[in-house]
Amino acid sequence: MKLFKLLPVIGLFIVNAAVKADDEVGKPVDIVVYRSPSCGCCGKWVGHLKNNNFNVKDIVTSDVQAIKSKYGVPGTMASCHTALVEGYVIEGHVPANDINTLLKTKPKVTGIAVPDMPAGTPGMGMGGKKDPYQVISFDSEKRYQVFNSYESK
């Protein structure tokens, strides 16, 4: 008899958990990407974002440096494209998982970056070659901290 009284409660718990999981996985994240018309790797990174549930507004511009300056990307963090997502700056070939972590943890930083263009980062596939690299957080005071690290393979 007690089992029958618990079944509706258990059912509600399961439905609620399923709806919450679907909301977290199913809702695309809006991101705006500024990139040069002459850079093929940037287009591949945009594809990486789309494949990882990002809704990308892709803006091709001949003056990406103006975007970097406007949004406070330090020269030491610069790469080939700049993106904006939920108030954060994403510079270079940052993996989608790191962007999602940034959005979940909401640290007090300007953004995260993968400086330069390391082989093996999303969009920089080099036939199996993979350089070690770090995703670095930065703020307006030019303080840097390792956000994530990737080893070479």
Side-chain angles (χ1 to χ4, degrees):
M1 186 71 165
K2 289 183 182 181
L3 179 62
F4 289 115
K5 289 181 180 178
L6 286 176
L7 282 177
V9 173
I10 293 169
L12 283 173
F13 177 76
I14 291 170
V15 169
N16 190 28
V19 168
K20 184 175 181 178
D22 186 51
D23 285 347
E24 289 175 4
V25 172
K27 187 176 179 183
V29 176
D30 292 331
I31 189 167
V32 179
V33 177
Y34 295 90
R35 66 182 179 96
S36 166
S38 62
C39 188
C41 66
C42 296
K44 291 178 184 177
W45 185 71
V46 166
H48 167 74
L49 294 178
K50 288 178 179 179
N51 290 337
N52 284 278
N53 207 29
F54 284 84
N55 179 33
V56 180
K57 181 176 181 181
D58 186 12
I59 300 176
V60 179
T61 177
S62 58
D63 194 3
V64 179
Q65 186 54 49
I67 301 300
K68 294 176 192 317
S69 296
K70 180 177 180 179
Y71 291 103
V73 177
T76 55
M77 295 289 107
S79 187
C80 54
H81 53 262
T82 303
L84 305 173
V85 59
E86 295 185 19
Y88 289 105
V89 178
I90 310 298
E91 181 66 16
H93 293 266
V94 175
N97 287 339
D98 290 318
I99 299 170
N100 286 327
T101 299
L102 175 78
L103 298 177
K104 285 178 187 168
T105 60
K106 300 190 182 305
K108 294 184 185 210
V109 298
T110 301
I112 56 177
V114 173
D116 302 319
M117 297 167 66
T121 57
M124 289 295 297
M126 299 272 195
K129 180 181 182 207
K130 186 168 182 169
D131 294 334
Y133 68 96
Q134 294 179 323
V135 178
I136 309 291
S137 68
F138 61 94
D139 66 15
S140 60
E141 302 296 318
K142 296 186 179 178
R143 290 182 292 231
Y144 308 116
Q145 185 171 349
V146 175
F147 189 81
N148 200 357
S149 294
Y150 295 86
E151 301 299 320
S152 63
K153 288 188 178 180

